[in-house]
Amino acid sequence: MTLKRNIRIKDIAKKAGVSIGTVDRVLHKRGEVSEDTKKRIIQIIEELDYRPNILASTLASKKSIVFATLTPKASTMESYWAKPQQGIEKAIAQLRQYGIKITQFFFDMENPGSLTNEATRLLESSPDGILIAPWVQDEALLFAQKLDEKNIPYLFIDSTLNDAHPISFVAQNSLQSGYLAAKLIDYGIPGDGLILLFHLAKKTDSANHLSQREDGFLKYYNLKAQNDHRIVKIESSGSSEEIKERLVDLGIELCDVDGIFVTNSKVHVAAECFKDLCKTPKIVGYDLITKNIELLKSGKIDFLICQRPEAQGYAAIHLLFDYVIRKEQVKPENYISIDIITAENIDYYSSF
Amino acid sequence: MTLKRNIRIKDIAKKAGVSIGTVDRVLHKRGEVSEDTKKRIIQIIEELDYRPNILASTLASKKSIVFATLTPKASTMESYWAKPQQGIEKAIAQLRQYGIKITQFFFDMENPGSLTNEATRLLESSPDGILIAPWVQDEALLFAQKLDEKNIPYLFIDSTLNDAHPISFVAQNSLQSGYLAAKLIDYGIPGDGLILLFHLAKKTDSANHLSQREDGFLKYYNLKAQNDHRIVKIESSGSSEEIKERLVDLGIELCDVDGIFVTNSKVHVAAECFKDLCKTPKIVGYDLITKNIELLKSGKIDFLICQRPEAQGYAAIHLLFDYVIRKEQVKPENYISIDIITAENIDYYSSF
DNA sequence: CTGAAAGCGCTTACAG
DNA sequence: CTGAAAGCGCTTACAG
């Protein structure tokens, strides 16, 4: 292996018989170069397969890039949105070296208008790239359209919006994750069974997400399940007590339930209803929040599907970096893995 | 938030009333500085919480660091060891910018002596850091001890060795992964069952790994399993046909088998025996090699436990980088996640 | 023991 | 349209 030294813009300049300033002009397409020297230089660049030294380049250019993020406010350290936040912060720490500043804005999930307010404040910092969690769809779409007009690159995290034009998004395939959930329940219930599908969410929550998970779940049972199952869907935003009452109203005995799928992180609310039974049903839900982790470890929840929220935040910032700073193409879709967590592997499941 | 500009060695020099050369001398502990100026400078460094700019530092120091790797030769692109290799190469590509060269050495798993030979060649390149897959334990330990003497930092991947002193290792907890495998089988077999535990390996393979997986598996059944299971252990390094014969010898009817655990990636060999049965047993094994993936997708294998080999390779190189270049502390143990892969989530499981 | 100077590869005004 | 020069923050001989 020859230790080929990386070629520098000085080398190109010499070979083309010009100064490095001129080479730099064509590299950055800032004109003021005659057509033929430009052609000549471009040819040499390709011939030598020149790769700029990012270290030197960011060191020399003192201009500091500003990124902005717009995500739901995490009410406590335990709540879901604290996690993408961690990944974002980790990425920020690494990228500070490259002179990148990141300003964060948070909106209130309960109050859609706050997204628009924060979006306006965000724009005042005139960022070079934006990360958005489009949790409140209508407001988020309005904002995205404004960014499309202004030609500011943005990227979605957690989910995406159909009519927007982000440079990319980082999210989990919700349909497929519901499909997987069904498999996990079906695998554990060999015979016929009564299965409850819970939507434990308020209207303002990202409805799209949850209904896709439901669709995936039902798809599996339509296509794959061997036996005759009865699937009952239950919607509620209340407590365990309220859910129990609902079940009574529906004429369902707790002991008859074989499997439970909850389409979001509220699975702990459902699990609480069933935790003292003689025979507990198979329970599958989402996300490693504290209450779920406890129930998983004590065997009251069987599987939690996880979407690596920290990794999503981390990856999203790096994608912005690749696009804005490195000027690289980025994949338009970044589906994150659909991770299966049990009491047995949770201790080794790190944000990494 | 004040846009506090990063402080530079020039700032320290000014504040201490010395030149940047002197500051640099204390930063790099290369002596030739009087005690009191040294003290003064150290104090200022801490007071200002100075962080060197790695960009500038690696740009200025033209010395290029050499890493070396010593891993099993991957016989084909599909074999397991091709995957850590991918992660290593990805890390190399990223780190080239920092002037790091990596030389790779491969040994033949069938021929333990080749490890020692390659290790000798490796040392001739006098690397600044080494990555080792200690697959052949005795030979690997000898090499590690030599490195301990020479004070060359090294790091293990895939597993670790008790009497060696690596700066760190990246591996999966084998005991726990076997424990998880048992859970996955137990979850799918509600009643009593006949379960086969297969060791499909040659003697030269990393025996330690596999027996730990077995221990974990049995541990689960001892501690947790509700019902009375019969677990039969079968060792073989042969084909599906040979295995079928063994089962006949043992008086086991294929149709009576409820669950199968294979302690390594050879799970496809076992799965082949059972794939045409009326009722296929629950099958759990390891690693996403091509043959396993096919059987997983077609439903002949239920779960594959994966150890993110690409991520291991990638992480290991970065740990070396953090230790050797950044001079950071690194965690002495890096257990990778124990991932559960099914037909339903495999398409989203990327090396990332 | 200490400082001044050149250089890493690139960017950025500035002068022509 | 083009080139020469200064500078990014650090390292590395070299001279005293």
Side-chain angles (χ1 to χ4, degrees), chain A residues 236-251:
Chain A
S236 164
S237 61
S239 64
S240 300
E241 296 315 312
E242 238 180 272
I243 290 173
K244 279 187 190 170
E245 285 172 25
R246 289 289 302 280
L247 292 174
V248 172
D249 293 347
L250 288 164

Side-chain angles (χ1 to χ4, degrees), chain A residues 54-218:
Chain A
I54 313 186
L55 266 58
S57 130
T58 65
L59 180 61
S61 84
K62 285 150 295 183
K63 68 157 172 280
S64 86
I65 300 283
V66 178
F67 288 165
T69 66
L70 182 58
T71 54
K73 197 179 298 168
S75 42
T76 72
M77 283 305 292
E78 274 75 43
S79 60
Y80 178 79
W81 281 100
K83 308 209 163 174
Q85 183 59 22
Q86 284 170 27
I88 291 171
E89 279 165 11
K90 184 174 169 197
I92 293 177
Q94 285 185 2
L95 265 37
R96 260 193 54 194
Q97 206 72 250
Y98 292 87
I100 293 169
K101 309 282 174 204
I102 308 199
T103 334
Q104 300 211 61
F105 298 87
F106 302 97
F107 60 89
D108 181 351
M109 282 185 282
E110 312 289 326
N111 170 12
S114 71
L115 189 152
T116 307
N117 288 342
E118 289 303 305
T120 311
R121 286 188 50 219
L122 184 157
L123 279 179
E124 284 163 11
S125 68
S126 55
D128 304 283
I130 304 175
L131 173 64
I132 307 169
W135 195 258
V136 191
Q137 290 193 46
D138 295 346
E139 326 284 329
L141 185 57
L142 277 176
F143 182 43
Q145 285 165 342
K146 192 178 283 179
L147 296 177
D148 285 334
E149 272 173 36
K150 290 181 182 275
N151 242 315
I152 301 177
Y154 60 95
L155 184 148
F156 288 135
I157 187 173
D158 194 70
S159 55
T160 188
L161 295 178
N162 275 333
D163 298 319
H165 303 282
I167 58 166
S168 182
F169 69 83
V170 181
Q172 192 173 74
N173 186 321
S174 301
L175 187 91
Q176 191 67 23
S177 83
Y179 191 82
L180 171 64
K183 147 76 174 247
L184 292 174
I185 287 183
D186 191 49
Y187 175 85
I189 305 177
D192 300 351
L194 168 60
I195 293 161
L196 306 183
L197 188 162
F198 282 98
H199 273 294
L200 305 180
K202 303 200 188 81
K203 286 277 172 295
T204 48
D205 286 1
S206 181
N208 202 12
H209 237 125
L210 305 191
S211 67
Q212 281 181 33
R213 287 171 177 174
E214 174 183 342
D215 292 347
F217 189 84
L218 297 177

